[in-house]
Amino acid sequence: ETGVTQTPRHLVMGMTNKKSLKCEQHLGHNAMYWYKQSAKKPLELMFVYNFKEQTENNSVPSRFSPECPNSSHLFLHLHTLQPEDSALYLCASSGDGQGNSPLHFGNGTRLTVT
Amino acid sequence: QKEVEQNSGPLSVPEGAIASLNCTYSDRVSQSFFWYRQYSGKSPELIMSIYSNGDKEDGRFTAQLNKASQYVSLLIRDSQPSDSATYLCAVYSSASKIIFGSGTRLSIRP
């Protein structure tokens, strides 16, 4: 399998649930990212990991908790979310976190919080 | 001022014509610029990267960069209905992160 794979594709969860989003990249990249895309808003950067180390936390609420066990895998743990957290969550990877290499996106997880 | 600005559209272009998409950015020291295409319900896919002033061509696509004017554009020649999508401009900022514009919706009419 190639590229960036995200699971699940769709997720519906209640505000008291705990769930996790998974991302795996097969591109040999060293940086991985979580972005949030809400309707009629630009893509919002949430977290950046470079060589497994978190290098960016863009003032994301603590109900979102990232985990990067190695350069190929990235998780986003979700707990006590709010309805306004409903959005498309996109994982991406790049060669490095320096910006010269473009992002490659997964297919995203469409999250609905009820 | 937004860090990366795009006209939201929709931009309607007849099939076979040239579609011109524009983007301005506020961070003067930005060095890397990207155009992504996003179909409805899908994730963004990279079309072009450009790093130096001037034009860069790839098939029907040409990216143009003018750092002095803080302006980057994407031209699509011989527009096809399959080009109908939202086009996202992205800039690597001095804060070491890639910032996206809100996108321009392009519609190619037959």
Side-chain angles (χ1 to χ4, degrees):
Chain A
E1 193 171 354
T2 59
V4 181
T5 304
Q6 287 186 246
T7 54
R9 293 294 305 276
H10 301 273
L11 178 62
V12 179
M13 60 186 288
M15 289 190 286
T16 58
N17 290 161
K18 287 184 180 182
K19 295 286 184 184
S20 296
L21 310 185
K22 179 182 176 183
C23 178
E24 183 174 1
Q25 60 97 359
H26 304 271
L27 299 169
H29 288 165
N30 295 310
M32 296 189 78
Y33 309 74
W34 281 116
Y35 279 86
K36 175 184 177 182
Q37 189 173 38
S38 305
K40 301 189 188 300
K41 285 187 175 181
L43 278 163
E44 300 173 56
L45 178 64
M46 300 176 73
F47 301 104
V48 181
Y49 279 82
N50 209 2
F51 293 95
K52 302 190 304 177
E53 300 298 319
Q54 189 180 119
T55 56
E56 179 79 30
N57 178 335
N58 202 25
S59 302
V60 180
S62 59
R63 58 187 184 269
F64 295 92
S65 175
E67 179 189 357
C68 187
N70 55 59
S71 293
S72 299
H73 293 85
L74 185 65
F75 296 89
L76 188 63
H77 303 301
L78 316 171
H79 64 97
T80 59
L81 294 191
Q82 305 297 311
E84 61 265 29
D85 296 322
S86 299
L88 180 66
Y89 288 84
L90 290 161
C91 174
S93 69
S94 70
D96 57 40
Q98 301 305 308
N100 286 331
S101 53
L103 301 175
H104 296 261
F105 287 91
N107 287 326
T109 295
R110 173 71 61 186
L111 173 67
T112 303
V113 181
T114 59
Chain B
Q1 181 188 7
K2 292 181 184 175
E3 293 182 84
V4 180
E5 290 208 58
Q6 295 181 256
N7 188 322
S8 61
L11 174 66
S12 181
V13 172
E15 185 174 355
I18 296 175
S20 178
L21 303 159
N22 304 316
C23 173
T24 57
Y25 58 94
S26 60
D27 188 342
R28 186 168 291 280
V29 299
S30 296
Q31 294 295 320
S32 305
F33 306 87
F34 311 97
W35 282 101
Y36 288 83
R37 176 177 63 201
Q38 187 173 24
Y39 293 113
S40 181
K42 302 291 186 182
S43 61
E45 59 177 316
L46 179 71
I47 299 176
M48 297 278 286
S49 306
I50 187 166
Y51 304 99
S52 52
N53 279 329
D55 295 0
K56 179 182 177 183
E57 187 175 318
D58 184 1
R60 294 188 296 113
F61 298 97
T62 298
Q64 299 175 317
L65 175 61
N66 183 327
K67 291 184 181 179
S69 300
Q70 294 173 237
Y71 175 93
V72 57
S73 65
L74 180 70
L75 302 178
I76 307 175
R77 288 182 300 281
D78 187 24
S79 297
Q80 303 296 310
S82 59
D83 295 325
S84 297
T86 297
Y87 289 80
L88 304 173
C89 173
V91 176
Y92 183 68
S93 75
S94 59
S96 300
K97 50 189 179 182
I98 295 178
I99 307 296
F100 284 82
S102 54
T104 298
R105 198 153 46 95
L106 174 66
S107 176
I108 307 301
R109 57 182 191 270

